[in-house]
C-alpha cells in the first residue's frame, strides 16, 4: 500500500465533517455491524475509530478516494476525490449553487473561500460534485458549473466574506443535541 493509503472495509463509514444540523449514523452502524469502523478528519475533534487527514487515500477495490482538507464550514471538513478525478464528495464545503455556513462552530468564511478555490475548483471542469445535501432536491453538479454559476463563490474573497457575515441564518434547532452527539461518533446521550 502506498504511504497515506488506508485499507478500509466496505462496511466502514466515512464522514465529511461534524456539524450541528445533522447527526452522523456511524455510531449506530458500528453497534449494528460488528467490525464496522467510523472515519472522520482528525481536525474535527470528534471520536472515531480512524482519523484521516490531507492526502490520505481511502482504497476500496480498484478505486481510491483522496482526502483533501477543505476547512471553513468547520475546521475538520474534508472533500473526497475519486482517484480518476471524475467525482468529488464535498460535504457542506461546496453545495450546489451555495456553500456551508461559517457563522459558528469555528467556521471561517475566508478559509472556506480558499479551500473551495484551491482544493475543489482546481479539479477538472467535468468532475461531478456530490454535496452532502441540497435544499432544492438537486443531487449533482460539476466543478465548471460551480466555478461559473455559484452565486457566492464566483465573488471576490472580500465580497464572499461580506455575504457570509450577513446571512443572518437562525441557529440550527438541534445544535445542543447534534454537536455533542457528533463529537461522540453520533452516539446520543440518553435523556435523563
Amino acid at each position: 500500500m502506498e504511504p497515506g493509503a488506508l485499507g478500509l472495509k466496505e462496511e466502514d463509514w466515512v464522514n465529511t465533517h461534524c456539524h450541528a444540523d445533522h447527526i452522523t449514523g456511524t455510531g449506530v452502524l458500528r453497534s449494528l455491524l460488528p467490525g464496522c469502523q467510523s472515519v472522520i478528519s482528525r481536525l474535527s475533534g470528534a471520536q472515531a475509530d480512524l482519523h484521516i487527514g490531507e492526502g490520505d487515500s481511502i482504497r476500496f477495490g480498484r478505486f481510491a478516494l483522496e482526502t483533501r482538507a477543505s476547512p471553513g464550514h468547520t475546521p475538520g471538513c474534508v472533500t473526497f476525490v475519486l482517484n480518476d478525478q471524475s467525482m468529488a464528495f464535498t460535504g457542506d464545503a461546496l453545495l450546489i449553487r451555495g456553500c456551508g455556513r461559517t457563522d459558528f462552530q469555528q467556521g471561517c468564511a475566508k478559509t472556506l473561500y480558499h479551500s473551495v478555490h484551491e482544493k475543489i475548483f482546481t479539479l477538472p471542469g467535468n468532475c461531478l460534485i456530490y454535496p452532502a445535501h441540497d435544499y432544492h432536491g438537486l443531487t449533482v453538479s460539476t466543478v465548471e458549473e460551480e466555478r461559473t454559476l455559484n452565486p457566492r463563490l464566483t465573488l471576490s474573497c472580500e465580497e464572499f466574506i461580506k455575504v457570509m457575515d450577513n446571512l443572518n441564518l437562525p441557529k440550527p434547532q438541534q445544535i445542543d443535541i447534534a454537536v455533542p452527539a457528533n463529537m461522540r461518533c453520533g452516539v446520543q446521550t440518553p435523556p435523563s
Side-chain angles (χ1 to χ4, degrees), residues 14-185:
V14 292
N15 295 280
T16 57
H17 67 296
C18 171
H19 207 233
D21 61 348
H22 48 75
I23 297 177
T24 180
T26 54
V28 172
L29 289 168
R30 287 173 60 223
S31 67
L32 297 174
L33 301 168
C36 172
Q37 293 187 101
S38 62
V39 182
I40 198 165
S41 166
R42 67 180 56 85
L43 298 177
S44 70
Q47 295 174 0
D49 298 308
L50 183 62
H51 289 98
I52 56 173
E54 175 74 22
D56 283 339
S57 179
I58 300 169
R59 302 191 79 58
F60 54 103
R62 67 181 208 271
F63 300 102
L65 293 172
E66 173 197 356
T67 304
R68 293 188 178 195
S70 48
H73 176 55
T74 71
C77 285
V78 295
T79 292
F80 297 109
V81 180
L82 195 63
N83 54 330
D84 66 0
Q85 296 193 341
S86 65
M87 59 183 70
F89 303 91
T90 60
D92 285 358
L94 177 61
L95 303 174
I96 297 173
R97 308 301 190 267
C99 61
R101 62 194 293 177
T102 59
D103 58 332
F104 64 90
Q105 207 174 339
Q106 298 86 46
C108 175
K110 182 177 182 180
T111 300
L112 179 59
Y113 185 88
H114 289 292
S115 290
V116 171
H117 281 265
E118 295 166 13
K119 302 294 179 94
I120 302 171
F121 282 178
T122 55
L123 291 164
N126 63 348
C127 176
L128 299 174
I129 298 294
Y130 292 96
H133 56 86
D134 180 76
Y135 298 105
H136 307 288
L138 303 173
T139 57
V140 63
S141 184
T142 67
V143 167
E144 186 61 25
E145 285 179 46
E146 296 309 315
R147 259 195 307 236
T148 58
L149 300 174
N150 191 301
R152 294 181 187 169
L153 290 156
T154 52
L155 301 171
S156 70
C157 184
E158 294 75 24
E159 292 170 319
F160 176 78
I161 292 168
K162 285 180 190 170
V163 167
M164 297 305 287
D165 286 350
N166 291 294
L167 290 177
N168 298 319
L169 297 170
K171 180 175 138 180
Q173 293 179 356
Q174 300 295 316
I175 189 172
D176 297 327
I177 297 167
V179 172
N182 284 331
M183 295 304 285
R184 292 186 307 275
C185 196

